[in-house]
Amino acid sequence: MNVEESRDPRVRTWAPVCRAVALLLGPYAEVVLHDPETDRVLEIWNPMTSRRAGDPSLLGELDELGPSTQEVYGPYEKLLADGRRLSSVSAILRDDRDRPSAVLCINLDRTPLERAAAVLSAFGAPTVGRPEPLFEQDWSERIRHIVGSHVRETGRPIDRMTRQDRLVVLGRLDEARVFAVRRAAPVVAEALRVSRSTVYGLLAELRAQSAKD
């Protein structure tokens, strides 16, 4: 009897699927096929620990898995002894009598993703505040900054701004003395995607309310 014939029939059935997942996710995914009856590892691909076929699975009791039980669990988090975090999923594989035949577990090492996220975060986030002296005279930059800040705060894009949103933005621009610049109103109108007359009308209303208060 050759090695292939001596393998557990469940391994022969599911090995192509397990190998495919292991190949697709490369060295970052461990794929394990468990025997729910003996609670032992049937086969393992890309092992992340010293576990081998025949070792205890330590999955716990699976006797309560009935026909209507959930088939796929996860993704859930696991932690290796070396500190690596894994995202794991487990699937119950059933035989032709709808009994649990094997449990397929895929453990994905999140380390490369976390490192990439850290690099992107470092590049994407400024490490110091904006040097105001450099922008003090750049009133067009100030307009974009104030409008953009409001968009990020509210989560509403410019074309969905409400009348109250525009009043808030114009109030901040007025406090920043943007309108002291003669050519500022057309730039503000363009940034808010409204007409100049709308900007002048809302600004007049805003200043009248402030004077009343």
Side-chain angles (χ1 to χ4, degrees):
M1 180 181 296
N2 60 38
V3 175
E4 185 66 26
E5 291 175 344
S6 65
R7 298 173 77 189
D8 188 289
R10 293 166 294 182
V11 176
R12 291 201 303 270
T13 298
W14 295 106
V17 174
C18 296
R19 279 201 304 270
V21 173
L23 286 170
L24 178 64
L25 300 178
Y28 304 114
E30 174 187 71
V31 182
V32 191
L33 199 62
H34 300 277
D35 184 343
E37 186 174 345
T38 64
D39 198 25
R40 291 193 174 274
V41 174
L42 287 170
E43 189 58 84
I44 186 168
W45 293 261
N46 290 342
M48 293 182 179
T49 64
S50 59
R51 276 195 308 179
R52 294 292 182 269
D55 288 348
S57 297
L58 305 177
L59 291 179
E61 292 295 333
L62 297 175
D63 295 338
E64 298 179 3
L65 292 173
S68 61
T69 303
Q70 181 179 346
E71 304 290 349
V72 179
Y73 298 84
Y76 51 89
E77 184 177 290
K78 293 171 67 175
L79 196 64
L80 295 180
D82 60 11
R84 283 180 293 169
R85 296 166 64 195
L86 309 178
S87 288
S88 303
V89 292
S90 297
I92 308 302
L93 308 179
R94 298 182 181 274
D95 59 20
D96 54 4
R97 297 184 181 180
D98 204 29
R99 297 174 304 186
S101 173
V103 178
L104 171 63
C105 293
I106 303 170
N107 303 310
L108 180 66
D109 185 358
R110 290 163 53 175
T111 304
L113 300 176
E114 291 173 347
R115 287 175 180 167
V119 171
L120 292 174
S121 178
F123 274 112
T127 56
V128 296
R130 190 176 73 153
E132 290 298 333
L134 295 180
F135 296 94
E136 187 173 1
Q137 302 302 321
D138 190 348
W139 53 270
S140 60
E141 169 66 24
R142 191 173 293 252
I143 291 171
R144 290 192 292 270
H145 181 77
I146 290 174
V147 174
S149 296
H150 186 79
V151 169
R152 292 182 66 86
E153 287 170 11
T154 61
R156 282 189 295 277
I158 293 173
D159 56 4
R160 290 179 55 195
M161 274 189 178
T162 64
R163 184 171 178 279
Q164 184 59 38
D165 285 326
R166 296 190 180 100
L167 285 171
V168 170
V169 171
L170 289 176
R172 292 178 181 177
L173 290 169
D174 205 21
E175 289 176 5
R177 298 187 59 79
V178 165
F179 293 105
V181 179
R182 187 173 56 183
R183 296 168 295 163
V187 178
V188 172
E190 182 180 0
L192 292 176
R193 299 177 190 172
V194 297
S195 66
R196 272 183 279 181
S197 60
T198 298
V199 169
Y200 288 131
L202 290 174
L203 187 60
E205 177 183 338
L206 191 66
R207 288 174 174 175
Q209 184 63 43
S210 296
K212 184 185 299 185
D213 294 340

